[in-house]
Amino acid sequence: MAKREYSTDELVAVLAGFGIVNVAKVERYGSGHINDTFKADGTDGVSYILQRINTDIFPDPDAMMENIERVTKHIRAKGGKSLEVLGYHNPWRLYAFITGARTVDLIENSSQAFLAANAFAKFQNDLADLPEPRLHEILPKFHNTLSRLELLDAAAKADVKGRLASVAQEMDFVNARREEAGRIVNAMATGEIPERITHNDTKINNVMLDDVTQEGVAVIDLDTTMPGSALYDFGDMVRTSTAAAAEDEKDLSKVFSRKEYFEALVKGYLKDAKFLNAAELDALAFSGRLITLTIGIRFLTDYLAGDTYFRTAYPDHNLVRCRTQLKMVKSMEDQRDEYEKIVRETAAASR
Ligand code: ADP
Ligand code: GN1
Ligand code: MG
C-alpha cells in the first residue's frame, strides 16, 4: 500500500474535533507499516500523538479501543506508565505524547535489548491478572503460521501480478520449513502452551526507552494486544532486536542475528517472565525463528498479492523485506545450538 498524504488543513481540522485548537505544528511521525501517525505540538508546548487507524486492516476499531482502554487503565492502576487515550472518533484517535523517552528502529546496544525485553516481560506480567472478560481477538489467527501458509499458497496460486516466477527461491526456503510451522499453534490447541494476554507486535520501536537510563518506560502500539502466546512476543523481539540491519536492508550480507543481543533479550525477559511453563521455555529460542519465518511469509504473500497490506515505498519493498526475514531465519538456524544453550543456562540460573 502506498503512503496516503494528508494536508495540514485536514489534520488541523481533526485536531480541532478533539478540542486542540492551538496547533503550532503537525507532522508525520514514526515508521510503522499500518496506521498513519502524526505528532502535533500545541503553542502551549504540549504535544500529542494523532493516529488514523487503518480500518482496512482493523475492521472493528471500537473493539480495539475498548481493549486499549482496559489494558492501559490496568497498567496505570499498578503504577506503570502506559499510553493515555485522550480521544477517539473512529478512525482517528489522540494519545498524550510520552516525554523523556524515545523509540529506536534498530537497537543500539545490549543494554537496550535487556531493558526492552524486560519491559515487555513486565507488560505481560502486569496483564496476567486483568479481570474478565477475555480481551477481543482483534485479528484472529494473527500469528498462526499454518493460516499464514494457506494465505501464501492462495496468493501464489492467484499470482495476480505475475510475480511468482521471480520468487522461486523464497518459496523453496519457506516450503523446506513447513513441518515446524505448526509447533506453537498445535501446542496451544492441546493446552501445553497456555493462552496469555500478549502484545503481538513487540518490535523494538514499540517500546519507549528512557532518554537517560534507557529503561523501557512504556510499551506502546497496543492495537494487537489480545489473547495469544507469550512466545510470539518473545519471538518478535528476537526478530527485530537481534537484527544487525534494517528490516528493508537490500545488502543481505549486512543482515544477521546478533548473539550478544539475543543473550541480553533472554536475560531481560526471563528476569520478569517467571510465569513461563516448561513447554514455553523449551520453545523460546525456536519462537524467534518461527515468528521471523511467519513475517517473511506475510511480506512474500503481500508481494504476490500486489502490495495491498503493508505500507510500501517502492515496488519491490515487500520482497526486500521478505528476503531480510528469511536471511534472519537462516542466521538463527546457523546459531541454533548456541541460542538453545543460552536459553537453557539463563532459565536454569533464574529459577
Ligand atoms: P504503528 O502502528 O504505525 O507502528 P505506533 O503506535 O507504533 O504506530 O507509533 C509510531 C511511532 O510513534 C512509535 O514508534 C513512537 O516513536 C511514536 N509514538 C507512538 N505513540 C507515542 C506516544 N504516546 N508518545 C510518544 N511517542 C509515541
Ligand atoms: C506491522 O504497524 P507496525 O509496523 O508496528 C504489522 C506487524 C508486523 C510488522 C512488520 C497489524 O507492524 O504484525 O510484524 O508490521 N502489524 C499488523 O514490521 O499487521
Ligand atoms: Mg509501532
Side-chain angles (χ1 to χ4, degrees):
M1 190 93 70
K3 191 190 277 184
R4 193 186 139 183
E5 297 303 336
Y6 298 83
S7 69
T8 304
D9 286 352
E10 189 178 356
L11 298 170
V12 165
V14 175
L15 286 162
F18 286 115
I20 312 293
V21 290
N22 58 341
V23 184
K25 190 162 124 191
V26 53
E27 58 184 13
R28 222 175 234 283
Y29 201 70
S31 50
H33 299 339
I34 309 290
N35 297 316
D36 293 300
T37 305
F38 304 88
K39 180 181 183 218
D41 299 325
T43 49
D44 55 2
V46 179
S47 296
Y48 307 89
I49 286 286
L50 176 70
Q51 268 182 338
R52 188 182 194 284
I53 301 165
N54 184 331
T55 49
D56 291 337
I57 286 171
F58 295 109
D60 191 351
D62 289 1
M64 178 209 272
M65 293 312 290
E66 206 177 293
N67 277 0
I68 293 177
E69 290 279 11
R70 286 180 60 202
V71 162
T72 53
K73 281 187 181 139
H74 191 73
I75 292 173
R76 271 201 300 275
K78 291 189 168 189
K81 211 170 191 172
S82 191
L83 284 175
E84 191 187 345
V85 183
L86 299 177
Y88 162 58
H89 308 306
N90 183 9
W92 290 94
R93 67 183 166 204
L94 189 74
Y95 287 129
F97 191 89
I98 298 168
T99 54
R102 66 188 179 116
T103 56
V104 293
D105 287 328
L106 203 56
I107 206 138
E108 293 156 347
N109 53 57
S110 297
S111 160
Q112 272 178 358
F114 180 95
L115 294 167
N118 189 248
F120 282 117
K122 285 184 173 146
F123 176 85
Q124 291 178 339
N125 237 338
D126 281 348
L127 295 178
D129 62 352
L130 184 79
E132 294 286 310
R134 187 174 182 257
L135 287 178
H136 300 291
E137 214 172 322
I138 294 303
L139 297 174
K141 300 191 174 172
F142 188 53
H143 286 313
N144 184 325
T145 316
L146 297 176
S147 324
R148 294 294 181 182
L149 279 169
E150 282 173 21
L151 294 172
L152 173 65
D153 292 341
K157 193 160 175 233
D159 193 19
V160 291
K161 294 276 170 185
R163 290 172 165 178
L164 184 61
S166 67
V167 299
Q169 260 187 325
E170 288 72 24
M171 290 298 287
D172 285 350
F173 187 97
V174 170
N175 288 336
R177 286 155 183 81
R178 280 184 188 249
E179 234 169 73
E180 57 194 24
R183 179 167 161 191
I184 292 179
V185 270
N186 292 337
M188 284 187 87
T190 63
E192 201 190 342
I193 289 181
E195 176 181 291
R196 303 187 186 279
I197 296 176
T198 52
H199 183 279
N200 295 301
D201 190 6
T202 55
K203 278 165 91 159
I204 185 64
N205 62 12
N206 284 333
V207 56
M208 308 266 330
L209 306 173
D210 188 280
D211 285 337
V212 180
T213 65
Q214 296 203 66
E215 255 173 87
V217 289
V219 167
I220 60 168
D221 200 348
L222 305 179
D223 296 352
T224 50
T225 299
M226 61 181 161
S229 163
L231 291 168
Y232 296 138
D233 279 3
F234 183 75
D236 212 48
M237 289 179 224
V238 178
R239 178 181 82 82
T240 61
S241 293
T242 74
E247 194 179 66
D248 57 0
E249 172 60 56
K250 289 180 181 161
D251 178 356
L252 289 179
S253 70
K254 293 184 182 156
V255 179
F256 57 93
S257 173
R258 303 178 74 131
K259 187 173 114 184
E260 67 275 24
Y261 291 178
F262 179 80
E263 186 162 6
L265 284 180
V266 175
K267 290 191 167 145
Y269 186 63
L270 292 188
K271 180 165 177 272
D272 278 277
K274 301 288 181 199
F275 46 80
L276 297 176
N277 72 16
E280 289 173 298
L281 282 173
D282 206 40
L284 211 59
F286 169 72
S287 72
R289 304 198 293 275
L290 183 71
I291 271 291
T292 311
L293 179 70
T294 310
I295 305 296
I297 291 171
R298 291 178 59 197
F299 285 139
L300 186 56
T301 305
D302 199 31
Y303 181 66
L304 290 173
D307 310 310
T308 61
Y309 187 96
F310 295 104
R311 185 177 300 129
T312 50
Y314 53 89
D316 283 355
H317 207 162
N318 273 316
L319 180 59
V320 168
R321 289 171 175 150
C322 162
R323 288 183 172 147
T324 62
Q325 300 310 291
L326 303 188
K327 177 75 195 295
M328 282 292 290
V329 172
K330 181 74 178 60
S331 172
M332 288 180 219
E333 287 174 353
D334 291 346
Q335 301 177 84
R336 178 188 177 137
D337 292 348
E338 292 155 83
Y339 279 22
E340 297 284 358
K341 185 164 174 257
I342 288 169
V343 172
R344 269 196 316 275
E345 291 181 355
T346 312
S350 63
R351 289 269 126 169

